Amino acid sequence: MNVVGAILQKNLLNFIRDKGRLLGSIIMALFFLFIFSFVMKSSMSGLEQPMNYLISGVIIMTVFQTSLNNSTDILSDIASGYMKEVLVSPISRAQISIGHILSGSIIAVLQGLLITVLSLFMGFHLDILHLLQMIAVMAAAGLTFGSIGLFLATISRNSSSFQIVSTMIMMPFTFLSGAYIPTTIMPKFLAPLVYINPLTYLTAIFRFISLKMEGVSQSELIKQGVAYDIHGFVITPIIGLLIIILMGVIFFLLCVDKFNKADFSNVKVAAGPRR
C-alpha cells in the first residue's frame, strides 16, 4: 500500500475516532462565532458585510490552529512505538513527513468546511465559485502551517515543549492578524508586528474572497484592512497569498530535511493508549 496513503488513512481514522478532540475544536469555533457574530456585530456597523467579515476570520483561524496542532500525531506515534515500526521498514522519511502534512491539511480543510456550513445558518452568504476559492485557500493554509507544525514537532523534545512553542506562536499571531480584531483599529505601534505576521495576509486573502471584493479599488482595500501599504509598497491579497505559499514551500523543505536528520529516541510524551 502506498506509504503516504497509509499514513493519511491512519491519521484520518484517528481524527474521526477522537470525539473529544473533534468536539473541542467545534465548540471553540462555535464560541467565537457566537461572540463575534452576535456580541460584536454592532461594533462593526461601518462594514458592508459585517457577518461575512467576522465569520471568515473565525473559519480561517480554525484551519490555522487545526493544521498547526495536528503535528502532535507524529509525537504520539513516536511515544507509542509505532514510529519505530515504520522507520525500520524500507520507506523514506520524506514519505512519512509528506503523509503527515497532507493528513493534517485535509483534516484542517474538513474542519474549516464544517464551520463554514454551520456559519451559513448564522448569516454567512456564499456562492459556489467563492466557496471553491475558499477551499483552495484553506488547502494552501493547511499545507503551509502543517509544514510549520511538523518542523516544530521535529525540534521539540516532547509533546509538552511542542504545545508551549505552538501556543507562544499561535496566540500573538492570531490576535495580530486581524481575524478577530480589525487591523484598522489597532494602535499604530503594532503595525510592524502586523506586517511580519503571515496570518495577516492569510486573513486578508480569505476576506477578499468571502467579501467578494474583486472589483474594489486598491485604496478601498487598504482602508478596510484587506491590503497593506508598507512605505509605498502595497501588499494586495494576491501578493499576500503568494507570500503564504512561498513560506509553505520553504518550511516544507525545512521540515522534510529536519525530519530526515531527526533523532526521535529522546522524544517523550505522556503515557496513553496506543492508537
Side-chain angles (χ1 to χ4, degrees):
M1 188 176 184
N2 181 276
V3 176
V4 175
I7 294 173
L8 189 64
Q9 183 181 16
K10 180 187 79 67
N11 287 346
L12 289 175
L13 284 174
N14 284 341
F15 170 70
I16 294 170
R17 291 170 179 168
D18 193 346
K19 301 292 189 303
R21 177 180 168 192
L22 177 61
L23 286 175
S25 61
I26 292 174
I27 290 172
M28 184 58 69
L30 288 175
F31 171 75
F32 279 112
L33 281 175
F34 173 77
I35 294 294
F36 288 97
S37 301
F38 293 102
V39 178
M40 294 187 65
K41 183 179 178 181
S42 57
S43 64
M44 302 292 177
S45 55
L47 300 174
E48 292 184 3
Q49 304 177 68
M51 293 300 286
N52 277 29
Y53 188 92
L54 293 167
I55 291 175
S56 59
V58 175
I59 295 171
I60 199 61
M61 284 304 105
T62 300
V63 174
F64 158 64
Q65 293 171 1
T66 302
S67 56
L68 196 67
N69 282 329
N70 274 329
S71 296
T72 54
D73 284 342
I74 201 166
L75 294 174
S76 299
D77 286 349
I78 295 166
S80 67
Y82 176 80
M83 185 57 69
K84 289 183 180 178
E85 299 173 11
V86 176
L87 291 177
V88 297
S89 61
I91 58 177
S92 69
R93 290 193 177 193
Q95 289 176 297
I96 300 172
S97 57
I98 291 171
H100 278 280
I101 292 171
L102 282 179
S103 60
S105 303
I106 291 174
I107 291 170
V109 172
L110 289 176
Q111 287 207 236
L113 283 175
L114 180 59
I115 302 302
T116 302
V117 171
L118 293 174
S119 302
L120 294 176
F121 297 98
M122 305 174 76
F124 188 54
H125 301 289
L126 203 61
D127 55 44
I128 295 297
L129 176 62
H130 290 90
L131 174 62
L132 294 176
Q133 292 174 347
M134 285 172 58
I135 292 173
V137 172
M138 285 192 276
L143 290 170
T144 296
F145 293 102
S147 299
I148 294 174
L150 186 60
F151 178 75
L152 295 176
T154 55
I155 63 175
S156 300
R157 291 185 176 181
N158 50 53
S159 59
S160 298
S161 299
F162 174 80
Q163 291 296 339
I164 292 171
V165 173
S166 64
T167 301
M168 288 174 62
I169 293 175
M170 198 178 297
M171 293 298 289
F173 274 29
T174 298
F175 287 101
L176 289 173
S177 67
Y180 299 144
I181 304 171
T183 56
T184 51
I185 64 173
M186 289 184 183
K188 295 295 182 186
F189 70 88
L190 290 176
L193 297 176
V194 171
Y195 297 153
I196 63 173
N197 182 2
L199 278 185
T200 299
Y201 308 117
L202 178 61
T203 304
I205 183 64
F206 207 72
R207 287 221 169 97
F208 179 78
I209 294 171
S210 63
L211 295 173
K212 305 169 187 174
M213 304 177 82
E214 293 88 350
V216 177
S217 66
Q218 195 174 84
S219 59
E220 185 62 23
L221 291 177
I222 295 172
K223 183 180 177 183
Q224 296 199 24
V226 180
Y228 298 91
D229 186 349
I230 305 176
H231 302 298
F233 179 75
V234 177
I235 299 182
T236 62
I238 301 300
I239 294 176
L241 178 61
L242 294 177
I243 292 173
I244 295 296
I245 293 173
L246 178 62
M247 282 189 62
V249 172
I250 292 172
F251 273 95
F252 175 76
L253 296 175
L254 282 175
C255 78
V256 169
D257 179 67
K258 193 71 179 177
F259 190 77
N260 286 336
K261 301 174 182 176
D263 178 9
F264 296 113
S265 59
N266 295 324
V267 178
K268 296 178 181 178
V269 296
R274 181 174 172 173
R275 295 182 299 177

